[in-house]
Amino acid sequence: MTAALVKTEIRGRVGLATLDRPKALNALSNEVIGELAKALREFDADEAVGAIVLTGSEKAFAAGADIAAMQPWSYADVYSQDYLGHDWESLRRIRKPIIAAVSGYALGGGCELAMLCDFIIAAENARFGQPEINLGIIPGFGGTQRLVRAIGKAKAMDMILTGRMITAAEAELAGLVSRVVPVDRLLDDALETAALIASKSLPSVMMAKECINRAFETPLDEGLLFERRNFHALFATEDQKEGMAAFLGKRSPEFKNR
Ligand code: HXC
């Protein structure tokens, strides 16, 4: 049996997935992505999990798609295996919140994987980049789309056309990451943040994620309507009654995720 490339564990109500292919700086081979997709789908289906943290090693979150695997591929190879379809696409469909805890390199597909998560907490040593241009290709898993939405056209063009890396500080200033923490605090901070989210009512957390993601896909009118209908729907949950009663009773809510 080959060793797992993605380690998983559940801490409290948080599912933790750790990319573990250190010799290749967590390069994202099809096997890594297959394992990751399976792990995240299992967390998504597990009632004991309320939020997910995805991380790598101190040196690399992920240094991109696996260049050694890709180098000999022809157009027919990538087309017929629908490269970046299937498992890569299925990562988008995870409904529970995912925090990317990024230390070291998040390059190419690694940066794209971090951006696919709901938000990024970066260690001070994090480096983000889309260096595909140096390999004669372009980003293939959302880099040209999500990076523009995250940091705007000027900076996205700069990064994608030059292939240069940006630091955690520049990424925070640009709005790519939600916060920057010391390297030795990264995992604890991400796990604490995920635990906080997992302590909320899961239906409201999932609906909030769905509504925010809609903002990128619909005109404002449609997005506002989608939000309002979901807001209305939450009044059908026991947790809405409990959350508001707890506030009025000056106590902590006991959510049942229903
Ligand atoms: C395969 C990789 C890899 C990658 C690193 N390695 N990145 N293998 N695919 N993306 C391997 C190296 O070959 C090397 O293996 C080992 O990891 C350590 O890497 P070094 O280069 O020796 O480390 P260092 O000098 O510290 O440099 C770190 C680095 C550099 C700056 C991150 O490795 C680098 O530039 N990597 C490539 C980054 C990149 O171009 N990413 C985009 C890929 S394309 P050996 O066996 O020699 O020890 C992409 C397309 C996305 O992501 C499309 C959608 C997914």
Side-chain angles (χ1 to χ4, degrees):
M1 212 177 98
T2 51
L5 299 164
V6 179
K7 301 255 187 299
T8 59
E9 60 182 291
I10 296 178
R11 296 207 195 169
R13 285 187 44 74
V14 177
L16 172 63
T18 306
L19 302 174
D20 191 26
R21 199 187 167 204
K23 285 190 183 135
L25 302 183
N26 291 332
L28 301 165
S29 60
N30 285 349
E31 292 73 23
V32 173
I33 292 300
E35 282 190 28
L36 180 63
K38 181 168 172 290
L40 297 194
R41 278 197 301 265
E42 281 173 9
F43 285 152
D44 217 24
D46 187 341
E47 281 185 13
V49 172
I52 299 165
V53 170
L54 172 60
T55 196
S57 68
E58 187 174 324
K59 181 165 182 191
F61 176 74
D66 191 327
I67 300 170
M70 288 188 294
Q71 196 276 335
W73 287 344
S74 66
Y75 171 72
D77 291 330
V78 285
Y79 180 78
S80 45
Q81 68 165 298
D82 191 21
Y83 185 53
L84 308 178
H86 301 300
D87 286 336
W88 281 89
E89 268 300 310
S90 80
L91 295 171
R92 285 180 64 199
R93 316 227 176 277
I94 304 299
R95 299 176 72 207
K96 289 175 184 166
I98 312 173
I99 300 174
V102 175
S103 178
Y105 298 111
L107 302 178
C111 186
E112 292 171 301
L113 180 60
M115 289 193 289
L116 168 135
C117 296
D118 297 303
F119 61 97
I120 301 171
I121 299 179
E124 283 164 347
N125 69 341
R127 296 285 178 279
F128 298 86
Q130 298 287 165
E132 288 90 341
I133 206 82
N134 299 327
L135 301 169
I137 56 170
I138 62 170
F141 191 58
T144 64
Q145 305 301 301
R146 289 200 183 92
L147 195 60
V148 181
R149 284 163 165 83
I151 67 176
K153 178 184 163 188
K155 241 183 172 33
M157 282 283 187
D158 175 355
M159 285 177 67
I160 291 172
L161 297 183
T162 66
R164 82 176 174 93
M165 290 185 222
I166 62 171
T167 62
E170 190 175 354
E172 186 181 29
L173 207 60
L176 181 60
V177 310
S178 71
R179 49 183 116 144
V180 179
V181 299
V183 178
D184 60 1
R185 280 287 311 153
L186 177 68
L187 192 57
D188 285 346
D189 221 87
L191 288 169
E192 281 163 20
T193 306
L196 180 63
I197 294 169
S199 74
K200 319 287 182 194
S201 169
L202 187 58
S204 63
V205 165
M206 287 167 62
M207 280 192 198
K209 167 170 171 162
E210 210 175 349
C211 287
I212 293 168
N213 284 333
R214 265 305 156 102
F216 295 115
E217 284 156 23
T218 48
L220 184 60
D221 259 1
E222 290 301 316
L224 290 172
L225 181 62
F226 186 76
E227 178 194 76
R228 193 156 66 246
R229 291 293 176 247
N230 278 285
F231 174 76
H232 292 162
L234 285 167
F235 285 74
T237 63
E238 289 176 26
D239 284 349
Q240 172 267 329
K241 299 286 172 295
E242 168 61 12
M244 294 191 182
F247 174 81
L248 295 172
K250 302 190 188 306
R251 61 177 174 81
S252 299
E254 284 181 33
F255 290 127
K256 298 202 178 80
N257 300 327
R258 46 197 299 131

